[in-house]
Amino acid sequence: MKKYWKIKNKSERIRLRKYYKKIRRQHRLNKKKIELNNHIDQMFNNYNFLFNNFINKKYKPTYKKDKLNTIVETMPKIFSLRDNYVESINFVIEIASLCNRKILNSTKLIYIDMRNCEKYDLDASCLLDSVMDKLKYIAKFFKTDFKVDFPLIKNEKAYINFLTTSFVNDELFHTKDNRPVYELREKVSNSKKVKFVDFDKNKSKNSEIVVTRIIDMIFDKSVDTGNYKADLGQILGEILDNIKEHSGNDFPWYIVGNLIPKDEYNKSRVELVIMNYGKTFYQNLDEFLAEDNKAKFPKQYNKISNLTGKILDKHKTFLNKKYYDLDQIYTYMLLQEGFSSKIITDDNKIKRGSGIVRLLETLERISNTEDKKKSNMILYSGKTAINFLNKYNVTKNTELGQNLKTICLNDKNSLFQKLDKSAIIVSNIEIPGTLIYLDFELKEELLYEN
């Protein structure tokens, strides 16, 4: 590069100075562009790592042929993992698959049509929102916008659930008339007196605050709730700690809930979702039972191997891919008291491994279980969903040679008998983590005061 300041010809010196200035500016722009592309590539890599099971690389979205190159995605009429698992989870996969450089490069608007949605449950909502939370930040680099049309007003439950549970309701999400969703959200929550707790992710220091908010939300203005609040708060805190622990540093965790008061729906209804991405129940137990853990954790390994071996031996004749298989039976075993890799202390006492049965016991105490068709809890993990149906209670069980609390999903109340098919959802589509969905009516004596 010539030292232009040493050139005696003034016009030539000025020309070279401008030229070199242009070159340096272009170099800086190229450097920024490379850094931005590297950043976007890293975001794509993180997204693909997190949602690997939810991405269909061959997915080709339907484009609306207009100048905006709009992608239109129509939500199922019943958007619920509990009541419409396959269709709902496939919709989430469609949305997750839009996070593709080629697709986003040619898309100006992603439009989600929810007008015909009549049921919008928190389990499906949580899964969708966890995807949207990551997708929207990548899409903004491609200047891709998002718009939605809500469920019709007459389908009030779906409408309220959408506005009070979706944490993607921010500046990036607008209605077709360009009203920010969060404005409508606040309006509905105030007018309908619906209480809700937003998602809180990867903030371990705030977990106790989140649990406190949830307990206050559920029992605010209720009567004689001291023991119930302590019980439920302790159990939720333990499960949340467990969810966070299994998420580790690489995966997010979420929690969301709402409460619809008595004066709106005859009986107060609580809905709550706790969810994480990471290893599933099956993966955790399968990895722990690997041969190399025998020497690393002899006490824990021997105890868990012995317990699981007894149950697996009895269920060998029941296992098949159409009814239930290893994924489902491993998940079932981890519901029971004592089935945890961290249950053994130095004095050989149970330390952990009772969170689910204790949660079920608490729900039996505080919820209205008269209608046996209504599920008060569903657990999703990997390819398995356990639907508790208010049909089977937690009881003491000695079949494994110990006095353990168990939830046996069959009429025989036995860990060794075939599981009730109505209590299990088996799917080839895997949820990449664990999701606990509570949906129940409070007992009459705990309802809001008039």
Side-chain angles (χ1 to χ4, degrees):
M1 182 181 290
K2 291 183 179 180
K3 298 179 180 179
Y4 60 84
W5 57 88
K6 291 185 177 183
I7 297 175
K8 293 181 179 180
N9 186 300
K10 185 176 180 180
S11 61
E12 178 65 9
R13 187 167 67 245
I14 292 173
R15 186 191 70 81
L16 282 174
R17 183 179 180 181
K18 289 181 178 179
Y19 173 74
Y20 291 144
K21 190 175 182 180
K22 181 180 178 182
I23 292 296
R24 286 195 297 270
R25 183 167 61 248
Q26 188 62 46
H27 177 73
R28 287 195 299 270
L29 290 174
N30 288 340
K31 185 179 179 181
K32 286 184 178 179
K33 188 175 181 180
I34 290 172
E35 289 175 350
L36 179 61
N37 282 331
N38 288 338
H39 177 64
I40 294 174
D41 285 342
Q42 184 61 49
M43 291 182 74
F44 273 119
N45 290 338
N46 292 340
Y47 183 93
N48 292 336
F49 172 71
L50 184 60
F51 298 113
N52 182 55
N53 294 329
F54 276 176
I55 298 173
N56 179 359
K57 295 179 181 179
K58 297 180 180 179
Y59 178 66
K60 294 181 179 180
T62 302
Y63 286 86
K64 184 178 179 182
K65 300 298 181 181
D66 59 14
K67 61 182 180 181
L68 290 178
N69 285 329
T70 302
I71 292 178
V72 179
E73 295 288 352
T74 302
M75 184 170 284
K77 189 174 182 179
I78 305 298
F79 189 54
S80 166
L81 300 183
R82 171 175 53 183
D83 296 327
N84 190 17
Y85 188 89
V86 174
E87 198 174 1
S88 298
I89 205 168
N90 278 330
F91 178 79
V92 178
I93 289 173
E94 288 179 8
I95 298 296
S97 302
L98 297 177
C99 195
N100 176 288
R101 188 182 289 271
K102 185 177 179 180
I103 293 174
L104 293 177
N105 263 327
S106 57
T107 303
K108 295 298 182 184
L109 177 67
I110 296 174
Y111 167 56
I112 300 179
D113 185 356
M114 303 175 62
R115 289 173 296 181
N116 293 322
C117 181
E118 295 182 0
K119 188 166 188 177
Y120 188 82
D121 272 351
L122 264 69
D123 52 3
S125 164
C126 178
L127 211 53
L128 175 62
D129 292 348
S130 66
V131 170
M132 287 301 309
D133 185 44
K134 307 298 181 184
L135 171 59
K136 64 184 181 183
Y137 289 114
I138 298 178
K140 75 176 182 180
F141 288 101
F142 297 86
K143 297 182 179 178
T144 303
D145 200 4
F146 298 90
K147 294 194 189 314
V148 296
D149 260 346
F150 301 152
L152 298 175
I153 299 295
K154 66 180 182 180
N155 300 314
E156 199 167 3
K157 182 63 162 37
Y159 181 74
I160 290 176
N161 265 3
F162 172 71
L163 287 177
T164 60
T165 62
S166 300
F167 75 102
V168 294
N169 297 327
D170 57 20
E171 308 81 47
L172 292 176
F173 243 93
H174 289 69
T175 62
K176 287 189 74 176
D177 60 0
N178 289 323
R179 292 187 65 187
V181 172
Y182 69 84
E183 288 185 3
L184 292 173
R185 181 186 201 199
E186 294 302 318
K187 182 178 179 181
V188 166
S189 65
N190 291 332
S191 63
K192 303 296 183 183
K193 298 180 181 178
V194 178
K195 299 176 182 291
F196 55 89
V197 176
D198 277 325
F199 278 74
D200 199 328
K201 53 186 186 304
N202 282 348
K203 297 179 181 177
S204 57
K205 64 182 180 181
N206 289 338
S207 60
E208 291 183 5
I209 296 174
V210 173
V211 172
T212 300
R213 285 180 62 198
I214 291 169
I215 297 301
D216 288 343
M217 175 195 77
I218 293 174
F219 293 112
D220 183 38
K221 295 182 181 177
S222 296
V223 294
D224 298 328
T225 59
N227 292 334
Y228 299 114
K229 290 175 73 171
D231 286 354
L232 189 58
Q234 184 179 3
I235 300 303
L236 289 181
E238 179 181 322
I239 288 175
L240 187 56
D241 286 342
N242 201 32
I243 286 282
K244 285 161 42 188
E245 182 180 314
H246 285 296
S247 296
N249 296 322
D250 298 324
F251 298 99
W253 58 270
Y254 306 97
I255 186 164
V256 67
N258 69 15
L259 184 143
I260 302 171
K262 183 180 179 182
D263 58 355
E264 287 292 327
Y265 284 97
N266 190 30
K267 290 187 177 181
S268 295
R269 210 165 173 80
V270 178
E271 296 180 273
L272 182 67
V273 166
I274 304 173
M275 175 187 173
N276 75 335
Y277 281 89
K279 293 178 182 177
T280 65
F281 272 40
Y282 170 76
Q283 290 169 330
N284 276 312
L285 183 53
D286 189 52
E287 289 181 12
F288 182 76
L289 291 174
E291 190 66 25
D292 58 349
N293 281 333
K294 202 171 194 178
K296 292 180 184 177
F297 316 104
K299 277 187 179 180
Q300 293 93 326
Y301 184 92
N302 290 335
K303 187 173 185 69
I304 299 301
S305 179
N306 179 51
L307 293 176
T308 55
K310 289 179 179 179
I311 295 178
L312 278 175
D313 185 60
K314 299 292 184 180
H315 281 262
K316 281 180 182 178
T317 56
F318 308 139
L319 299 182
N320 65 73
K321 294 188 180 300
K322 290 185 178 180
Y323 196 84
Y324 63 87
D325 211 340
L326 281 178
D327 194 295
Q328 289 73 47
I329 197 65
Y330 272 35
T331 302
Y332 172 65
M333 287 191 288
L334 283 178
L335 301 178
Q336 317 305 332
E337 183 181 52
F339 281 74
S340 171
S341 61
K342 300 183 180 181
I343 63 170
I344 307 298
T345 59
D346 291 337
D347 54 358
N348 204 37
K349 291 183 179 179
I350 290 178
K351 182 181 178 183
R352 279 176 51 177
S354 61
I356 297 297
V357 292
R358 287 172 60 206
L359 177 59
L360 287 168
E361 283 183 312
T362 302
L363 288 176
E364 287 176 13
R365 292 181 63 205
I366 68 174
S367 62
N368 173 27
T369 58
E370 293 176 3
D371 187 347
K372 297 297 182 182
K373 294 181 180 179
K374 290 184 178 179
S375 173
N376 65 0
M377 177 172 163
I378 303 180
L379 182 141
Y380 305 90
S381 189
K383 297 178 180 179
T384 303
I386 304 293
N387 193 344
F388 293 95
L389 298 168
N390 281 335
K391 189 174 180 180
Y392 304 110
N393 297 323
V394 173
T395 58
K396 287 285 188 177
N397 191 302
T398 58
E399 289 177 307
L400 297 173
Q402 301 178 47
N403 193 16
L404 299 174
K405 290 181 179 180
T406 62
I407 176 78
C408 300
L409 304 177
N410 52 60
D411 293 327
K412 304 291 185 182
N413 196 29
S414 169
L415 290 170
F416 297 154
Q417 295 299 314
K418 192 174 186 179
L419 305 185
D420 181 352
K421 180 61 176 173
S422 66
I424 305 173
I425 298 174
V426 180
S427 173
N428 292 324
I429 306 171
E430 182 175 347
I431 291 178
T434 298
L435 185 154
I436 298 172
Y437 179 27
L438 309 179
D439 179 13
F440 59 92
E441 293 175 350
L442 286 171
K443 278 186 176 177
E444 197 69 37
E445 61 266 28
L446 294 176
L447 298 181
Y448 287 89
E449 297 173 331
N450 293 326

